[in-house]
Amino acid sequence: MTTSSELLQAAAELARLTGQVALRHYRRGALVERKPDGSPVTVADREAERVAREWIARRYPSDGILGEEFGEQAGTSGRRWLLDPIDGTKTFVRGVPL
């Protein structure tokens, strides 16, 4: 059984990992596409979520995942990870460091 403290540490590790992925694209003139709802999405958004999903699948294979870019993946553990690696794609694309 995973404790709350272990999950908090895992979430922090995952945040650092996906942050590193996103920063590789920061201020590099990312191509912006539009999702069906009109919101922007970049390679950084998709790559960061893909890396997060792979990490979760290795560490917590029975957990569910709901991500902004790739939708839902059901799990059996009763726990679900919610992913939005770059919250604020518009400011990210503009190079605003917030």
Side-chain angles (χ1 to χ4, degrees), residues 58-91:
R58 282 192 308 273
R59 298 275 303 264
Y60 303 98
S62 61
D63 286 6
I65 301 171
L66 176 59
E68 183 177 16
E69 309 311 332
F70 300 111
E72 187 162 11
Q73 175 183 325
T76 58
S77 70
R79 183 173 41 232
R80 180 169 56 169
W81 295 76
L82 305 177
L83 304 177
D84 183 6
I86 300 176
D87 185 29
T89 298
K90 289 178 184 178
T91 55

Side-chain angles (χ1 to χ4, degrees), residues 47-58:
E47 185 179 341
E49 185 171 321
R50 181 188 53 76
V51 166
R53 285 173 175 274
E54 290 170 357
W55 184 92
I56 294 166
R58 282 192 308 273

Side-chain angles (χ1 to χ4, degrees), residues 34-47:
R34 295 282 167 197
K35 294 189 274 189
D37 68 0
S39 62
V41 63
T42 66
V43 168
D45 291 290
R46 291 185 179 126
E47 185 179 341

Side-chain angles (χ1 to χ4, degrees), residues 8-56:
L8 183 58
Q9 289 176 345
E13 181 181 333
L14 182 57
R16 283 189 294 274
L17 174 64
T18 57
Q20 291 168 355
V21 171
L23 280 174
R24 289 197 299 254
H25 299 279
Y26 185 63
R27 293 187 175 182
R28 302 221 188 263
L31 176 66
V32 179
E33 297 175 12
R34 295 282 167 197
K35 294 189 274 189
D37 68 0
S39 62
V41 63
T42 66
V43 168
D45 291 290
R46 291 185 179 126
E47 185 179 341
E49 185 171 321
R50 181 188 53 76
V51 166
R53 285 173 175 274
E54 290 170 357
W55 184 92
I56 294 166

